Amino acid sequence: MQTLIYPAWYVQRGGQEADARSIGNYIHYQLDVVVLIEARTNYISYFESAPLYNRLKNGEWKTEFSQNPALVPLYRTNCDGLTYGSNAGLMIYGNPQPDLILARGAGGTSGYVKYEDLMGPQPKTPEEAVQMQKEGKFNKREIPLYAADGKTIIGSFK
């Protein structure tokens, strides 16, 4: 799973013209705020962490990480390369979320749900969030329950 992580910044021009060569002059960092973007879902999180912010700004952060080999057996991999299993492994530091999350569907059927289905549609702006709330898009909904192959629908999950 790929994740982007970097110090939070914004561009403030103050009414001045900026082009590709000068845009760097208008970038301002938000002190001690870090941005984390999950590449698979584009889910964005902001959090405050002075130590991490400083490590990122000073170039003291590794660009690639490997999963702790002791944690790999928590998930199996299907024929398409998707991992599947319980999301309980998330409680162990350094373990990524499986692509297919173990769930018990309607009628007690065990299967897997996709993270994207579980999260549902995500608003991109506050206005869109208000509209989605009015339309009931955040209410309980039913999503497919899959077999470990991630393709065969075996039931539903509420």
Side-chain angles (χ1 to χ4, degrees):
M1 176 173 19
Q2 291 185 333
T3 302
L4 299 171
I5 186 167
Y6 55 88
W9 56 274
Y10 60 95
V11 176
Q12 184 176 27
R13 293 185 306 148
Q16 300 173 14
E17 290 295 319
D19 59 24
R21 290 174 295 183
S22 66
I23 195 76
N25 298 328
Y26 303 105
I27 293 176
H28 302 278
Y29 287 91
Q30 186 66 43
L31 186 63
D32 298 341
V33 177
V34 176
V35 179
L36 182 121
I37 302 175
E38 184 184 325
R40 182 174 50 167
T41 62
N42 285 329
Y43 188 79
I44 301 171
S45 300
Y46 296 89
F47 58 94
E48 190 171 355
S49 173
L52 180 55
Y53 174 88
N54 290 326
R55 288 187 70 192
L56 290 167
K57 282 283 288 168
N58 296 329
E60 299 169 1
W61 188 259
K62 293 188 340 183
T63 58
E64 301 229 354
F65 294 87
S66 58
Q67 184 177 3
N68 181 339
L71 301 176
V72 173
L74 287 174
Y75 306 132
R76 292 195 214 159
T77 304
N78 68 17
C79 296
D80 291 328
L82 298 175
T83 56
Y84 61 97
S86 168
N87 67 350
L90 291 175
M91 296 177 198
I92 302 171
Y93 180 76
N95 202 49
Q97 176 164 292
D99 298 307
L100 301 166
I101 302 165
L102 183 64
R104 186 168 308 277
T109 306
S110 289
Y112 301 90
V113 293
K114 294 180 179 176
Y115 177 77
E116 295 83 7
D117 292 344
L118 196 57
M119 293 302 293
Q122 297 295 307
K124 293 179 179 40
T125 65
E127 294 80 19
E128 189 177 351
V130 169
Q131 184 62 35
M132 288 173 73
Q133 189 171 17
K134 286 179 183 175
E135 294 172 2
K137 300 225 175 170
F138 299 123
N139 295 346
K140 265 190 171 178
R141 54 192 169 50
E142 196 169 319
I143 61 173
L145 186 70
Y146 295 93
D149 64 9
K151 296 177 186 174
T152 307
I153 297 175
I154 60 171
S156 64
F157 177 80
K158 289 184 181 183

